[in-house]
Amino acid sequence: MTQRLTIRRPDDWHLHLRDGLMLAGVLPETARHFARAIIMPNLVPPVVTGAAAAAYRDRILAALPEGMEFRPLMTLYLTEETDPDDVAAAHQSGLVTAVKLYPAGATTNSASGVTDFDKVRPVLERMAEIGLPLCIHGEVTMPEVDIFDREKVFIETVLDPLRQRTPGLKVTLEHVTTADGIDYVAGEAGDIAGTITAHHLMIDRNHILVGGIKPHYYCLPVAKRRRHRDALRRAAISGNPRFFLGTDSAPHSDEAKESACGCAGCFTATNTMACLAHVFEEEGALDRLEGFASLHGPARYGLPPNAGTITLVKEDAPVPYPDKIATGAGPVTVFDPGHPLYWRVA
Ligand code: NCD
Ligand code: ZN
């Protein structure tokens, strides 16, 4: 018995598209299902100014295959030198949807991120004034803090003080991976939301480390214990509009992943919707999938939901997904949840 579920076309509120040959290779994987995505600015060099964001947007649109429709929602990479006036102008013109905060050194291409949060205070204050959201990679980077604790410590020592000092700042805590992050977003007063990836709803840290090291499950923030994964699932299916999808699909070539020092990032663009349908069905919450993938995000960002729809079909037999997609920058391994998927987008 095939089962069908039609929902508004989804959006991705956290996506890495890279540039050049990699961009050309991965963009169709997202544009096939998603109407819009918040585009991460962690290129080398990062997208710091409005002018750079406009040029990057144009390269994305130029890479979009004929006949595909997709709207990139651009972000600026916050540095200690970011000019509040440039940010305000980029917002005013409709070019940028958010500013991205990477603590310096937290993840891939984050060397230009923030070390001294006082230095970015004028930008944050201006953003609060004009209603421009701040998307945050929520991990501290001090070597003495265990990598599995970095999100929790960030919330306590950086995020909460920053929000107290900047009332009115709209914050998205991105790719939440802990019960602590979920509790913070759900329990706080004020303007905060949290994105959750498809892969963090499926894997825990055992997937990375048991039975041999699995580099394609390594991403940042790193997957935590099973109880944290379960807290993410409860939040995703809760119907709470503060939680919505940000895939953090982060392509790296196999050569870069399968290395003695492999890059962080899971590439999920190809099968995100199948993974989500699988999880929401397992949780008996298919009726909440549309809110999570297609409604809460636009409401948060003050945009209308997409006019179009997609239909998810559940087959009797497993749906084959490619192991890899070929790009001009090398093969990129597609996220494998470790069990068959029966859902596909019609
Ligand atoms: C991202 C990347 O590769 O750019 N990697 C990841 O593991 N998620 C960076 C990021 O979002 O942390
Ligand atoms: Zn990311």
Side-chain angles (χ1 to χ4, degrees):
M1 257 298 284
T2 56
Q3 205 181 326
R4 298 171 80 83
L5 175 68
T6 297
I7 61 171
R8 293 278 191 146
R9 199 170 185 80
D11 301 304
D12 183 352
W13 300 93
H14 180 133
L15 176 67
H16 298 270
L17 286 176
R18 316 301 188 202
D19 215 340
L21 295 172
M22 183 64 92
L23 166 64
V26 299
L27 179 58
E29 300 300 295
T30 286
R32 200 171 291 135
H33 301 156
F34 294 91
R36 299 171 289 202
I38 290 246
I39 309 302
M40 287 296 119
N42 63 332
L43 304 182
V44 190
V47 180
V48 172
T49 62
Y56 185 30
R57 178 200 52 199
D58 293 348
R59 294 198 297 281
I60 295 168
L61 292 174
L64 193 66
E66 267 304 299
M68 277 189 153
E69 269 181 50
F70 176 72
R71 182 169 162 216
L73 304 172
M74 306 311 291
T75 60
L76 296 178
Y77 185 117
L78 182 63
T79 74
E80 292 176 5
E81 281 76 49
T82 294
D83 172 5
D85 290 337
D86 183 56
V87 170
H91 172 65
Q92 178 71 37
S93 71
L95 172 66
V96 305
T97 301
V99 170
K100 172 73 188 231
L101 166 63
Y102 287 102
T107 186
T108 310
N109 305 335
S110 62
S112 321
V114 176
T115 305
D116 180 353
F117 286 82
D118 284 335
K119 295 218 175 108
V120 295
R121 177 131 307 284
V123 183
L124 300 184
E125 270 156 18
R126 180 72 78 84
M127 288 170 61
E129 247 171 69
I130 63 180
L132 179 59
L134 181 68
C135 291
I136 300 187
H137 184 110
E139 290 190 289
V140 293
T141 55
M142 296 89 85
E144 65 274 20
V145 179
D146 188 277
I147 191 165
F148 292 100
D149 298 332
R150 288 180 173 197
E151 182 171 294
K152 177 178 161 58
V153 174
F154 181 88
I155 291 167
E156 292 163 1
T157 64
V158 181
L159 178 57
D160 195 57
L162 181 146
R163 292 187 58 242
Q164 303 302 336
R165 256 182 282 127
T166 324
L169 182 65
K170 289 165 84 86
V171 165
T172 305
L173 181 61
E174 302 195 278
H175 40 52
V176 179
T177 59
T178 58
D180 313 272
I182 294 297
D183 289 347
Y184 185 78
V185 171
E188 272 299 293
D191 208 334
I192 184 156
T195 61
I196 303 176
T197 75
H199 54 283
H200 287 116
L201 292 173
M202 299 191 105
I203 65 168
D204 60 43
R205 64 195 201 175
N206 278 8
H207 287 79
I208 311 169
L209 296 169
V210 172
I213 190 158
K214 314 286 191 338
H216 295 291
Y217 291 136
Y218 173 61
C219 66
L220 288 169
V222 70
K224 310 295 194 296
R225 290 177 180 276
R226 177 57 67 112
R227 76 172 178 87
H228 293 290
R229 190 209 73 167
D230 292 346
L232 302 180
R233 283 190 173 214
R234 285 193 297 275
I237 66 162
S238 66
N240 183 339
R242 286 191 174 185
F243 296 106
F244 49 87
L245 176 65
T247 68
D248 197 13
S249 182
H252 293 278
S253 70
D254 282 352
E255 192 186 3
K257 292 285 295 173
E258 297 167 10
S259 147
C261 184
C263 292
C266 295
F267 178 70
T268 51
T270 306
N271 57 4
T272 293
M273 292 313 298
C275 287
L276 288 178
H278 183 98
V279 167
F280 278 67
E281 183 184 31
E282 245 174 22
E283 298 292 331
L286 277 173
D287 60 322
R288 299 276 166 85
L289 178 58
E290 183 177 42
F292 181 73
S294 313
L295 302 178
H296 302 167
R300 162 77 180 163
Y301 282 91
L303 294 168
N306 295 308
T309 59
I310 60 165
T311 296
L312 287 149
V313 180
K314 187 183 182 193
E315 302 288 4
D316 293 328
V319 175
Y321 286 92
D323 297 344
K324 299 172 191 302
I325 62 154
T327 80
V332 174
T333 292
V334 174
F335 175 70
D336 170 8
H339 53 68
L341 292 168
Y342 291 85
W343 290 92
R344 65 179 173 83
V345 178

